[in-house]
mmCIF file of all heavy atoms in Angstrom:
data_model
loop_
_atom_site.group_PDB
_atom_site.id
_atom_site.type_symbol
_atom_site.label_atom_id
_atom_site.label_comp_id
_atom_site.label_asym_id
_atom_site.label_seq_id
_atom_site.Cartn_x
_atom_site.Cartn_y
_atom_site.Cartn_z
ATOM 1 N N GLY A 665 -4.989 -3.258 3.053
ATOM 2 C CA GLY A 665 -4.519 -2.833 1.730
ATOM 3 C C GLY A 665 -4.660 -3.936 0.745
ATOM 4 O O GLY A 665 -4.357 -4.975 0.932
ATOM 5 N N ALA A 666 -5.100 -3.429 -0.476
ATOM 6 C CA ALA A 666 -5.265 -4.431 -1.604
ATOM 7 C C ALA A 666 -4.518 -3.927 -2.785
ATOM 8 O O ALA A 666 -5.111 -3.870 -3.903
ATOM 9 C CB ALA A 666 -6.777 -4.688 -1.801
ATOM 10 N N GLY A 667 -3.358 -3.559 -2.619
ATOM 11 C CA GLY A 667 -2.501 -3.190 -3.765
ATOM 12 C C GLY A 667 -1.863 -4.555 -4.351
ATOM 13 O O GLY A 667 -2.528 -5.520 -4.247
ATOM 14 N N VAL A 686 -9.875 -8.597 3.639
ATOM 15 C CA VAL A 686 -9.130 -7.519 3.185
ATOM 16 C C VAL A 686 -9.782 -6.171 3.306
ATOM 17 O O VAL A 686 -10.842 -6.139 2.783
ATOM 18 C CB VAL A 686 -8.720 -7.764 1.637
ATOM 19 C CG1 VAL A 686 -7.728 -6.732 1.102
ATOM 20 C CG2 VAL A 686 -8.161 -9.144 1.413
ATOM 21 N N ILE A 687 -9.123 -5.194 3.861
ATOM 22 C CA ILE A 687 -9.703 -3.852 3.968
ATOM 23 C C ILE A 687 -8.955 -2.954 3.271
ATOM 24 O O ILE A 687 -7.721 -2.614 3.552
ATOM 25 C CB ILE A 687 -9.915 -3.413 5.468
ATOM 26 C CG1 ILE A 687 -10.666 -4.475 6.240
ATOM 27 C CG2 ILE A 687 -10.507 -1.986 5.670
ATOM 28 C CD1 ILE A 687 -10.615 -4.252 7.721
ATOM 29 N N GLU A 688 -9.439 -2.258 2.183
ATOM 30 C CA GLU A 688 -8.825 -1.397 1.155
ATOM 31 C C GLU A 688 -9.514 -0.029 1.206
ATOM 32 O O GLU A 688 -10.641 0.045 1.180
ATOM 33 C CB GLU A 688 -8.777 -1.873 -0.188
ATOM 34 C CG GLU A 688 -8.485 -0.952 -1.291
ATOM 35 C CD GLU A 688 -7.068 -0.433 -1.162
ATOM 36 O OE1 GLU A 688 -6.079 -1.006 -0.732
ATOM 37 O OE2 GLU A 688 -6.940 0.773 -1.702
ATOM 38 N N ARG A 689 -8.688 0.924 1.312
ATOM 39 C CA ARG A 689 -9.240 2.370 1.420
ATOM 40 C C ARG A 689 -10.035 2.737 0.142
ATOM 41 O O ARG A 689 -11.132 3.301 0.196
ATOM 42 C CB ARG A 689 -8.013 3.351 1.477
ATOM 43 C CG ARG A 689 -8.446 4.748 1.571
ATOM 44 C CD ARG A 689 -7.181 5.678 1.618
ATOM 45 N NE ARG A 689 -6.369 5.586 0.469
ATOM 46 C CZ ARG A 689 -6.588 6.178 -0.754
ATOM 47 N NH1 ARG A 689 -7.560 7.017 -0.808
ATOM 48 N NH2 ARG A 689 -5.779 5.977 -1.717
ATOM 49 N N ASP A 690 -9.640 2.269 -1.050
ATOM 50 C CA ASP A 690 -10.354 2.588 -2.259
ATOM 51 C C ASP A 690 -10.277 1.405 -3.364
ATOM 52 O O ASP A 690 -9.099 1.101 -3.791
ATOM 53 C CB ASP A 690 -9.616 3.792 -2.898
ATOM 54 C CG ASP A 690 -10.509 4.374 -4.071
ATOM 55 O OD1 ASP A 690 -11.465 3.711 -4.565
ATOM 56 O OD2 ASP A 690 -9.968 5.435 -4.771
ATOM 57 N N LEU A 691 -11.302 0.821 -3.528
ATOM 58 C CA LEU A 691 -11.408 -0.334 -4.497
ATOM 59 C C LEU A 691 -11.561 -0.065 -5.887
ATOM 60 O O LEU A 691 -11.580 -0.994 -6.676
ATOM 61 C CB LEU A 691 -12.420 -1.406 -3.986
ATOM 62 C CG LEU A 691 -12.282 -2.093 -2.687
ATOM 63 C CD1 LEU A 691 -13.499 -2.962 -2.228
ATOM 64 C CD2 LEU A 691 -11.046 -3.105 -2.873
ATOM 65 N N ARG A 767 -7.218 -8.230 -7.612
ATOM 66 C CA ARG A 767 -8.349 -8.137 -6.708
ATOM 67 C C ARG A 767 -9.535 -9.120 -7.128
ATOM 68 O O ARG A 767 -10.047 -9.734 -6.293
ATOM 69 C CB ARG A 767 -8.878 -6.755 -6.665
ATOM 70 C CG ARG A 767 -7.960 -5.786 -5.966
ATOM 71 C CD ARG A 767 -8.255 -4.348 -6.058
ATOM 72 N NE ARG A 767 -7.392 -3.271 -5.378
ATOM 73 C CZ ARG A 767 -7.503 -2.122 -5.362
ATOM 74 N NH1 ARG A 767 -8.513 -1.397 -6.149
ATOM 75 N NH2 ARG A 767 -6.756 -1.389 -4.781
ATOM 76 N N GLU A 779 -13.301 -5.535 1.376
ATOM 77 C CA GLU A 779 -14.266 -4.475 1.977
ATOM 78 C C GLU A 779 -13.490 -3.178 1.896
ATOM 79 O O GLU A 779 -12.274 -2.952 2.121
ATOM 80 C CB GLU A 779 -14.573 -4.776 3.456
ATOM 81 C CG GLU A 779 -15.509 -3.782 4.032
ATOM 82 C CD GLU A 779 -16.016 -4.137 5.306
ATOM 83 O OE1 GLU A 779 -16.073 -5.403 5.771
ATOM 84 O OE2 GLU A 779 -16.510 -3.214 6.099
ATOM 85 N N GLN A 780 -14.320 -2.094 1.437
ATOM 86 C CA GLN A 780 -13.688 -0.782 1.282
ATOM 87 C C GLN A 780 -13.828 -0.043 2.700
ATOM 88 O O GLN A 780 -14.959 0.050 3.085
ATOM 89 C CB GLN A 780 -14.476 -0.029 0.268
ATOM 90 C CG GLN A 780 -13.753 1.403 -0.142
ATOM 91 C CD GLN A 780 -14.227 1.933 -1.457
ATOM 92 O OE1 GLN A 780 -14.178 1.278 -2.378
ATOM 93 N NE2 GLN A 780 -14.734 3.190 -1.413
ATOM 94 N N GLY A 781 -12.712 0.376 3.133
ATOM 95 C CA GLY A 781 -12.657 1.145 4.373
ATOM 96 C C GLY A 781 -11.312 1.599 4.603
ATOM 97 O O GLY A 781 -10.339 1.190 4.068
#
Side-chain angles (χ1 to χ4, degrees):
V686 185
I687 303 173
E688 162 60 34
R689 183 181 58 83
D690 185 358
L691 286 172
R767 287 174 179 174
E779 183 172 336
Q780 186 162 306

